[in-house]
């Protein structure tokens, strides 16, 4: 079995082999730009890793791994349009660098290119296609719930977990399952690795919410408190809105409705409310709950621990990140 | 073999069976709205017709026929966003009735739903997937060329034919080829029916350009001259820009650059220039050239004429339309 870094090298090398140097340039250059713009490549690496975990040849999973990475980047491209985001990974987003129409259409093309690659899967094509399509549709559903939440003052914790499961977690789950399918793994193993990924992905997103507020300022890519400034309905804000009483509640509503404010002042004020309500501990507890559930499910997969180590090491590296 | 109308009934009944009454409603209601908004269903009917032509059971082509219709409607939805079109088939477009974000995301979901349906093809799945993906990507390329042409003062006839082939004709070709593949037709027959569809589709689009100017005002769905008002780079305008000399050229440029004008006055003036340059005859000649080429290729398919009649009748109904 290859190490995480070996698999990452394989993915980057295979991505580089894809040729988007084609006409019309206004369609293909943005695709090239997005793919070359980096990213951690977690999902395609997990696909290859899962394939090897179940004894498969990683080469059988390469085309679907690339499909998943391209699909992921397509969702980011269109999400950035919907969120009016100007920057992605330190560079201008496609609709800023080009324009809305070009971003829309090159995104559409990326989704098709992802399907072209998925269709090249040499093992278990039908199951892989179904997993991929169901996941792709889940991601659209999750994104729509996320947008719906913006206008909904009363989002429950359960609704939030459902949304991040659809928007974020199932793609990690799908990456692992497609790797397992490419190795001809048993159905039960495919289910377990999927559920492992889903819980891991949910934990990962809760941690993202957590780190936006309590991350290490020196290391975290974005500045601390970005979600607070934007009133983003994170797990922390949803819990705080539910638990806050009296002065804390009034303060929270004041800062949510404030139009002109000093960013740092708002961040400090909201963090103070979060601290009063023990939101930090509550979020960590929930995050740990999903990590632990992921590990429990992973334990059920009947493979010797030595083979499993590369997956556990990866999950632990996520769990231990502070940025 | 079923008649065109029988096949149309089958398609409409199968489309009605698709269930988009799902959550989140802001994702699925626009899809329902678009699918229920009618349309001639030419493409899915051609898929079933081609399947029967080659001796297949139309049931084997139903899921891919639905996929093609949904994909076609997805491209219209996103095209309408790119063109800022407010109305489609007499009803508000999705980005007008809902908003841009919802139109973007429900379009993305339609593309995925199309692939879910294509994946259900029971015969020749790999070939059908490849045909579908290549066509889908061609359509994106065609749409990009079309947008690029808006800013290009010097589009040649050849470039225009290439654009409409990609944007419009290949989907007709794809519909027929996927029907043939669903009937396990020979590779040569699949190629011929594809080329037949491509030429038919090119003729159809040239006819669309023609009818915008020379159609029967009482019958044509949109008003005569819509393309002229918008300076749309149609086959007619491209040819006129190339051929016009002296006063005709100056008049044409004047009307293209005019900001404030009376619509009917502009239409009449441009039609006069077209008439001076024999654009009507030239366009009809080219349209006929593609219809004839389509028939020539169709003749090569070794099937008795009686079976072929339903396809020829359909092509003739296109050729003879005056609106």
């Amino acid at each position: 079995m290859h190490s995480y870094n070996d698999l990452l090298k394989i993915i980057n090398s295979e991505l580089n082999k894809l040729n988007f140097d084609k006409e019309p340039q206004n369609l293909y250059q943005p695709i090239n730009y997005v793919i070359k713009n980096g990213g951690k490549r977690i999902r395609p690496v997990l696909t290859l890793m899962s394939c090897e975990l179940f004894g498969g040849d990683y080469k059988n999973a390469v085309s679907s791994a690339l499909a998943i990475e391209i699909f992921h980047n397509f969702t980011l491209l269109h999400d950035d349009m919907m969120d009016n985001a100007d920057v992605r990974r330190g560079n201008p987003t496609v609709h800023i660098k080009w324009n809305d129409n070009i971003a829309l259409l090159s995104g559409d093309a990326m989704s098709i290119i992802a399907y072209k690659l998925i269709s090249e899967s040499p093992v278990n094509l039908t199951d892989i296609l179904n997993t991929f399509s169901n996941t792709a549709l889940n991601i659209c559903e999750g994104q729509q719930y996320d947008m719906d939440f913006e206008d909904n003052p009363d989002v429950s914790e359960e609704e939030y977990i459902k949304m991040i499961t659809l928007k974020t977690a199932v793609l990690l789950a799908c990456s692992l399952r497609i790797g397992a399918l490419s190795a001809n793994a048993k159905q039960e193993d495919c289910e377990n690795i999927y559920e492992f990924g889903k819980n891991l992905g949910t934990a990962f997103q809760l941690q993202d919410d957590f780190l936006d507020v309590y991350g290490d300022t020196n290391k975290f890519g974005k500045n601390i408190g970005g979600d607070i400034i934007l009133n983003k309905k994170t797990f922390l804000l949803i819990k705080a809105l539910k638990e806050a009483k009296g002065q804390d509640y009034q303060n929270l509503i004041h800062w949510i409705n404030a139009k002109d404010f000093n960013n740092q002042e708002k961040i400090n004020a909201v963090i103070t409310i979060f601290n009063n309500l023990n939101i930090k501990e509550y979020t960590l507890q929930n995050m740990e709950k999903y990590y632990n559930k992921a590990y429990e499910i992973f334990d059920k997969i009947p493979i010797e621990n030595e083979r499993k180590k590369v997956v556990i090491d990866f999950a632990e590296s996520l769990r231990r990140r502070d940025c």
Side-chain angles (χ1 to χ4, degrees), chain A:
Chain A
M1 283 181 74
H2 290 87
S3 70
Y4 188 94
N5 282 332
D6 285 347
L7 296 174
L8 180 60
K9 272 181 209 149
I10 292 167
I11 288 298
N12 280 325
S13 145
E14 293 289 337
L15 277 173
N16 276 329
K17 284 187 207 158
L18 297 174
N19 176 22
F20 299 116
D21 194 15
K22 290 197 273 195
E23 298 287 341
Q25 293 192 8
N26 279 335
L27 184 69
Y28 287 107
Q29 279 185 351
I31 300 175
N32 216 14
Y33 174 77
V34 165
I35 302 295
K36 296 277 157 70
N37 195 20
K40 293 191 285 288
R41 317 292 191 204
I42 289 177
R43 295 155 194 82
V45 168
L46 284 182
T47 301
L48 301 193
M49 196 186 278
S50 174
C51 180
E52 291 201 327
L53 176 72
F54 292 104
D57 181 344
Y58 80 85
K59 291 194 185 76
N60 290 337
V62 164
S63 68
S64 51
L66 298 179
I68 289 166
E69 181 65 12
I70 288 173
F71 193 86
H72 173 59
N73 280 279
F74 145 66
T75 65
L76 298 180
L77 195 171
H78 276 189
D79 283 6
D80 284 342
M81 287 179 74
M82 293 183 242
D83 300 343
N84 282 315
D86 294 353
V87 176
R88 165 73 60 187
R89 295 173 189 147
N91 285 310
T93 48
V94 173
H95 65 279
I96 295 293
K97 193 173 162 75
W98 283 270
N99 60 44
D100 274 359
N101 282 357
I102 285 178
L104 174 53
L105 195 62
S106 55
D108 290 348
M110 285 176 81
S111 165
I112 295 160
I113 290 166
Y115 268 105
K116 266 179 87 92
L117 285 161
I118 274 284
S119 306
E120 291 172 18
S121 304
V123 179
N124 270 326
L125 176 61
T126 307
D127 285 344
I128 288 175
L129 270 172
N130 285 340
T131 300
F132 187 75
S133 289
N134 290 334
T135 302
L137 215 44
N138 282 341
I139 294 169
C140 292
E141 291 166 356
Q143 170 68 2
Q144 186 59 55
Y145 281 122
D146 198 12
M147 293 196 295
D148 288 345
F149 288 176
E150 281 171 35
D151 309 316
N152 179 354
D154 191 28
V155 178
S156 72
E157 225 176 280
E158 291 69 32
E159 288 173 314
Y160 182 74
I161 295 289
K162 181 181 172 188
M163 182 278 281
I164 61 172
T165 302
L166 292 168
K167 183 169 170 171
T168 304
V170 294
L171 189 55
L172 286 184
C174 163
S175 305
L176 289 160
R177 190 191 163 103
I178 285 180
L181 285 167
S182 303
N184 251 326
K186 285 185 202 142
Q187 204 185 334
E188 197 185 339
D189 290 341
C190 292
E191 279 313 310
N192 280 329
I193 200 79
Y194 182 87
E195 289 300 321
F196 162 71
K198 203 165 85 176
N199 283 283
L200 192 71
T202 306
F204 182 83
Q205 183 58 49
L206 291 178
Q207 197 171 6
D208 239 33
D209 289 4
F210 176 85
L211 290 171
D212 180 74
V213 178
Y214 295 109
D216 186 327
T217 332
N218 296 320
K219 294 183 188 167
F220 202 47
K222 34 188 180 180
N223 295 326
I224 289 293
D227 292 345
I228 292 177
I229 295 167
L230 296 170
N231 295 329
K232 231 189 136 218
K233 288 227 174 60
T234 64
F235 187 79
L236 291 77
L237 180 57
I238 286 167
K239 179 69 177 168
L241 279 167
K242 191 181 160 206
E243 295 298 327
K245 304 273 181 296
Q247 193 60 47
D248 276 340
Y249 184 75
Q250 281 169 33
N251 282 344
L252 192 54
I253 296 298
H254 161 78
W255 282 109
I256 286 173
N257 293 328
K259 295 276 172 248
D260 282 324
F261 54 83
N262 173 286
N263 282 353
Q264 199 54 54
E265 208 181 330
K266 176 171 176 178
I267 292 168
N268 293 342
V270 172
I271 293 183
T272 301
I273 301 166
F274 285 174
N275 289 341
N276 292 344
L277 300 167
N278 295 320
I279 300 291
K280 183 177 181 176
E281 294 72 21
Y282 185 73
T283 307
L284 280 176
Q285 272 166 26
N286 272 275
M287 190 190 101
E288 285 299 317
K289 186 180 86 183
Y290 284 100
Y291 272 121
N292 290 334
K293 204 170 162 196
Y295 286 4
E296 251 174 58
I297 295 165
F298 192 62
D299 267 350
K300 289 199 238 166
I301 297 174
I303 290 179
E304 60 271 36
N305 284 337
E306 208 178 327
R307 281 189 83 77
K308 283 173 146 183
K309 193 171 174 301
V310 61
V311 180
I312 290 291
D313 284 351
F314 165 74
E316 278 298 296
S317 76
L318 291 185
R319 189 182 202 158
R320 272 188 267 102
R321 76 195 168 117
D322 56 4
C323 67

